[in-house]
Amino acid sequence: MSRKVKTKHEMPVQDSKERITNFDEVALGYNEEKALAEANRCLECKVPNCMKGCPVEINIPKFIGAIKQKDYKEAIREIKTKNSLPAVCGRVCPQEAQCEKYCVIGKKGDPVGIGRLERFVADWEFANENSSSSMEVGEPTGKKVAIVGSGPAGLTAAGDLAKMGHSVTIFEALHVPGGVLMYGIPEFRLPKDIVQKEIDKIKELGVDIKVNYVVGKAGSVKDFLENGYDAVFVGTGAGLPYFMNIPGENLNGVYSANEFLTRTNLMKAYQFPDYLTPVKVGKRFAVIGAGNVAMDAARCALRLGAEESYIVYRRSEEEIPARAEEIEHAREEGVKFLLLTSPVEFHGDENYNLNSMTCIEYELGEPDDSGRRRPIPIEGSEYKMDVENVVLALGQGPNPLVPSTTPGLDLTKKGNILTNDETGVTSIQGVFAGGDIVTGAATVIEAMGAGKKAARAIDEYIKSTN
Amino acid sequence: MYKIVRKEVLSPVIKLFEIEASHVSENAKPGQFVVLRTDEKGERIPLTIADFNREDGTVTIIIQEVGRSTKELGKLEEGDYVVDFVGPLGKATEIEKLGRVVCVGGGVGIAPVFPIARALKEAGNEVISVIGARTKELLFWEEKMADVSDQLYVCTDDGSYGHKGFVTDVIKQVAEDVEVEHVWAIGPMPMMKAVAATTKPLELKTTVSLNPIMLDGTGMCGACRVSVGGETKFACVDGPEFDAHEVDFELAARRLAYYQDDEHRVEAATNHSDGGACKCHEK
């Protein structure tokens, strides 16, 4: 019986030599046969530990049980009662740190490929449009909710609130909804037409999305409360790029990760000149930082024609914050890792174009507050490295547009919005917040979890203010 | 989609569009800008707001055709639509009663300096305006500027209209003749740099509106970063107006030129598809 299979069924992927020539999805997904075989590894525990690890509370054994019965329609229905973006989550969640981390059979082998199965049923639904309508909308309540930002937090809150019967309008600053799903995560990890399809499903629930609307510039949170909205949810994310404040940082060729990825993904610069937004990638390309965003940038660079693409990171392999799978994919594709190293100065030519950087080497000292060993620069270890482009992927701060235009909104020292963890309640009555604007840059699924909790709290709040 | 309700051809390469966008016009203030995308394959380009009409819910922009995107936009007519129109973005001009002020518009920079001059006039200032362009063909809005100014000087580099010479010649002359409190200058980077160099020795407070490369225009990427007084600023949220005497114009000009070869590639592609004189497929 397949329950004895100790390893997760492999997911087919595009060959690494082939895939660096295109932006097509790397992981190809399970076919039905593989999905059934993987589903059969699940023991359907009476007390499922896996669910503890899912921020949006999907009933995992139940949907996997439905897959075993080949009732994919039921499987996707079950998932969608909790999660409005399963095709996204199945692809980009760090399952190894969430649901799959708690899977019982993971103790004596690989855990069940929960993410891969979630992706399988979500993709099955797209392929079988007629069997859709897996989400039901409640009786209209006549209450209006404004959502600021259409990233994972806002979309989840919107989907849940619409299902509860509220009238929901999302206000998005960019020209397409999706937030980081559209501008940040590359096509080869998360195809944009998949994100668009999931957003369309949320629209089918009656959610209205207004793009090109910058809250804080065109109208404010207070305006919404004064103009007929019963509550506001702020999910504006952590979109403010950090720079290093070292000499030469403003030279041509030095990009923030946000700029590089937005040009590449949102504006489709990889299809330049068919699409009009350019992006420049020289022969030698370096990304400073080693999170998922850094891996994305380094892998994009190879696809855009860089001959060498480096991850430059001041700590060691062990501290790399990116997902194991992303690091592995980057390595397979030829991304090189320059560890215990960081630039101290960028140099340019007479046209102010970057041509090299001075790096310094580090050694690891005692663990710091975060529990990671502190990098200490080694005196005299500086050396020069030729490089034509640098992407700074050092993390992002909270976007200040909404906080700075909403008097009375309490913030942390870093500028994040202060909320009650369980409800997303802020210091202003009727205003809720969640996702990266509250926690700082985190994961898609955590933002979705926050959107879900806030939706519940908003529902209770507006019902109480009759 | 945002409808073009009026188009006016101001010169062969300068065109005015009045666009329906009430969410922008309701909140627009002098000094702010919009980001526009013409069609689905287009890029996001920043354009300073030249005028706005809150009653009609429209915003006026003026473009000079300098590359593919502005040429594509220039082809649109009344009744056509642009896919995206975002704003108002950036900080508004600080308008207060100062006394006598000078407003300088160079080329297509005349458009954004107009609402600033008007607001300064309405605030009770004596407004001296100076507008200039390379040649007569590139001048526009002389009357509109005259309407909101106590005095208007017009100049062209080649002398084809008005004074022959640069706006800086006029500024110098005005500042020598009368007491001036503040100068606003908007135009091409070299012109703003020249204005700054002219007013600095006179210790005449000068504000310029910078026009760096922008992508989102909301502060999330830093494409528009400039160095002001030795500090890095994002023009889209910290500006676009800055103290002209603190701006690193050399850096700003070099950053503006970074994609020049790509811009040429796009142009070549357009000429080819138009059956033009492109030689891109020949050896």
Side-chain angles (χ1 to χ4, degrees), chain A residues 299-315:
Chain A
R299 296 172 68 194
C300 279
L302 290 172
R303 287 162 172 80
L304 289 161
E307 286 171 15
E308 291 175 273
S309 179
Y310 291 88
I311 289 282
V312 179
Y313 182 48
R314 65 193 183 118
R315 300 186 202 243

Side-chain angles (χ1 to χ4, degrees), chain A residues 85 88-89 149-158 178-182 185 202 233 235 435 443-452:
Chain A
L85 303 166
V88 170
C89 290
S150 65
L155 287 173
T156 300
V180 75
L181 307 176
M182 281 299 198
I185 303 173
I202 292 174
F233 175 77
T443 62
V444 167
I445 191 74
E446 282 170 278
M448 291 177 60
K452 185 166 232 23

Side-chain angles (χ1 to χ4, degrees), chain B residues 11-12 15 25 36 50 69 71 81 84 86 88 93 98 107 113 119 142 147 182 196 207 217 226 250 264 269 278:
Chain B
S11 92
K15 285 157 192 178
S25 68
L36 172 153
S69 291
K71 282 179 186 167
Y81 292 81
D84 298 302
V86 200
T93 308
L98 296 165
V113 95
E142 185 183 343
D147 283 349
H182 200 129
T207 299
V226 290
E250 181 65 18
H264 293 150
C278 156

Side-chain angles (χ1 to χ4, degrees), chain A residues 173-176 183 211-214 217-219 223 239-241 243 249-256 258-259 262-263 266-267 272-280 350-353 388-389 392 399 401, chain B residues 2 23 27 32 37 40-44 68-69 72 83-91 213-216 218-223 225-227 232 234 250-251 254-255 258-259 261-263 265-266 269:
Chain A
L174 287 172
H175 58 270
V176 296
Y183 75 73
V211 295
N212 294 326
Y213 198 105
V214 185
K217 289 289 176 187
D223 291 341
L240 184 75
F243 285 84
E249 206 164 32
N250 292 336
L251 288 166
N252 284 326
V254 181
Y255 288 107
S256 73
N258 268 1
E259 181 186 355
T262 300
R263 284 180 180 277
L266 180 70
M267 304 311 295
F272 181 87
D274 188 23
Y275 282 75
L276 297 188
T277 305
V279 69
K280 275 212 196 296
E350 68 282 5
N351 291 321
Y352 288 52
N353 292 335
E388 286 158 81
N389 288 95
L392 304 173
N399 191 316
L401 257 175
Chain B
Y2 304 84
H23 68 296
N27 300 285
Q32 291 187 301
R37 203 167 64 114
E40 289 302 333
K41 290 187 173 179
E43 58 184 333
R44 297 168 64 98
R68 170 77 177 265
S69 291
E72 292 283 326
V83 289
D84 298 302
F85 196 80
V86 200
L89 299 169
K91 283 189 178 155
I213 289 171
M214 285 191 191
L215 185 60
D216 62 288
T218 63
M220 64 170 261
C221 83
R225 61 197 193 274
V226 290
S227 179
T232 295
F234 289 6
E250 181 65 18
L251 176 74
R254 297 292 186 177
R255 283 185 64 86
Y258 186 49
Y259 293 100
D261 51 339
D262 295 308
E263 286 161 18
R265 266 173 73 200
V266 168

Side-chain angles (χ1 to χ4, degrees), chain A residues 88-246:
Chain A
V88 170
C89 290
R91 286 172 166 81
V92 304
C93 274
Q95 289 101 4
E96 68 277 11
Q98 296 177 324
C99 51
E100 295 181 17
K101 182 180 168 184
Y102 296 97
C103 174
V104 170
I105 68 163
K107 286 179 184 163
K108 285 186 181 172
D110 287 347
V112 175
I114 299 167
R116 293 170 183 191
L117 290 172
E118 181 182 24
R119 170 188 164 143
F120 170 75
V121 282
D123 288 354
W124 176 89
E125 189 190 21
F126 290 141
N128 296 272
E129 276 304 323
N130 298 336
S131 56
S132 90
S133 77
S134 42
M135 290 188 276
E136 291 138 31
V137 181
E139 279 292 303
T141 60
K143 298 285 184 182
K144 282 171 70 181
V145 183
I147 302 218
V148 187
S150 65
L155 287 173
T156 300
D160 282 14
L161 287 162
K163 282 189 257 180
M164 294 165 185
H166 306 305
S167 161
V168 182
T169 309
I170 302 183
F171 296 88
E172 164 59 44
L174 287 172
H175 58 270
V176 296
V180 75
L181 307 176
M182 281 299 198
Y183 75 73
I185 303 173
E187 189 84 28
F188 56 79
R189 272 215 295 140
L190 181 64
K192 300 307 144 211
D193 63 332
I194 298 262
V195 182
Q196 190 55 55
K197 278 183 189 166
E198 287 207 322
I199 293 171
D200 290 344
K201 294 265 177 210
I202 292 174
K203 283 188 185 167
E204 282 171 24
L205 298 172
V207 172
D208 184 23
I209 305 182
K210 291 201 191 312
V211 295
N212 294 326
Y213 198 105
V214 185
V215 175
K217 289 289 176 187
S220 69
V221 167
K222 283 268 159 94
D223 291 341
F224 291 135
L225 290 176
E226 284 161 16
N227 293 312
Y229 286 95
D230 298 284
V232 180
F233 175 77
V234 180
T236 48
L240 184 75
Y242 289 143
F243 285 84
M244 299 183 83
N245 299 315
I246 61 174

